Amino acid sequence: MVKSPRLSSGPARLLGRAVQDHRAGRLADAERGYREVLAQDPEHPDALHFLGVLAGMTGDPARSVTLIERSLRFKPTAEAHYHLGVSQAALGRATDAIASFEAAIGMNAQHALAHHHLGGALSQLGRREEAVAAYRTTIELRPDMAEAYSNLGLISTWHEDDPAARRLLALAARAGSLPAASRIHLNYALGKYHEDTGDFASAFAHWRKGAELKRRTLTYDADANDRAIAQIAASFPRGAWTSSRTHGEPSDLPVFVLGMPRSGTSLVEQILASHPQVHGAGEIGHLRAALDGLQIRPELLQPRLLESGAFARDLRRRGGDYVAGLRALDSEAARITDKLPNNFKLVGAIQLALPNSAIIFCRRDLRDVCLSCYQTLFMHGHAWSYDLAELGRFALAFARLMEHWRNILPGRILELDYETLVADPAAQARRLIAHCGLKWDDRCLHHHESNRAVQTASLGQVRRPIYRSSVGRWRRYERDLAPLLEMLGEGACQ
């Protein structure tokens, strides 16, 4: 029996309709169409490829990788290699992503998006010079790709005679013709350019414009955030539960690195992860998943309920699930770090479910923290960071909750001031390692030489030796920060 050609009229029509649905944003219809094609031809490379792209778009990069790898066995294309790299990068597999992007470029040297994402993957691994070259190639191929300029600025310093800078300014001259998303990236890139070249007034004006554009795309309710923070504090009053370590999951594997974004959390994790017995997991969502649905009320925080019964069993199970998820990341590490920013809301739950974990609170002058947040175009979340008054209000709510944890859990959390860390990194690094119960290792003082992948907005800074120039930067922009400073008031130095 002769098999019908893969591109017979039936699959071709189904594929064409599915692609149209995909482009129009009708993702459920597109997925159904791709599956109908695969039902007729399980090896149809385009259906496998496009279904993999859709899986990546809808938050399942692991499935995306599986599907696209299957498609490449039948039809290797530059686009398939590129999309494979995107999903590998989303899984934190930067080395694999680099190979995929390079394969795409090998088949199509003009593939600007492959060059751009190659720059991102190289940046994560600290291969700065190669990343800069990749971003510059992107700009040469696509001078209108504003995101390439903003990403280049994250890992390099602008100079007025830079050809890429001239292209950036030329793009700024026709900013009105760009889509809104591109104008956002453009303004953040221009802010960094003007700061690097010494025009601080223009720098802040562009950050403000970019933040205003970004804020219009987001939904955020400052009142709701204040209520949520107050409710968390009310759910965890003082009591014997704060000093007990006998309930929950007994493992001391987890190390939680907490703090406002841009407060030094990435630097602290990088120092810790430079220790041979520590695995730096970065910003992972395992804790939120393990605690999902957990209901905590003050009346449950009694010793007898924490030691035995349904609530005690639930805490042990959830803590155990979290530790198992960490252990799947590294089977041998003595400690594994988790630095997801929103974990600051879960300190009480951490004490209940993981009482022997280490908690490190990275503190920094809120004026510097908030300025740095305002200057940063975050990949995801942080909707509170694009309006100065909302930013200050969130920072104060954060500080109130951290003060609550400090008061009810005395001695439980290691507090590390950013200003002290950069002034005396050796002493503070030793405090960190000792807090985690590990023997000192000199590699922790050479954290910038580590080749571990870093995916946060601080990926450029953690590749440099510790520097002090970020302390007190807010004073450079004091006049522009008036709404923020007014909101922070006396809480600015917390």
Side-chain angles (χ1 to χ4, degrees), residues 430-450:
R430 288 181 180 277
R431 283 185 69 210
L432 284 171
I433 300 305
H435 183 69
C436 295
L438 299 171
K439 292 183 178 180
W440 175 250
D441 191 289
D442 284 341
R443 278 169 283 193
C444 296
L445 293 180
H446 303 280
H447 65 278
H448 53 285
E449 298 174 1
S450 169

Side-chain angles (χ1 to χ4, degrees), residues 100-113:
S100 294
F101 295 135
E102 289 177 339
I105 293 166
M107 300 180 75
N108 178 9
Q110 304 301 304
H111 200 305
L113 285 173

Side-chain angles (χ1 to χ4, degrees), residues 406-430:
R406 178 188 297 114
N407 289 336
I408 69 168
L409 295 166
R412 176 71 173 87
I413 302 170
L414 176 68
E415 298 190 22
L416 184 67
D417 289 328
Y418 177 81
E419 293 79 8
T420 305
L421 173 61
V422 299
D424 190 358
Q428 297 308 307
R430 288 181 180 277

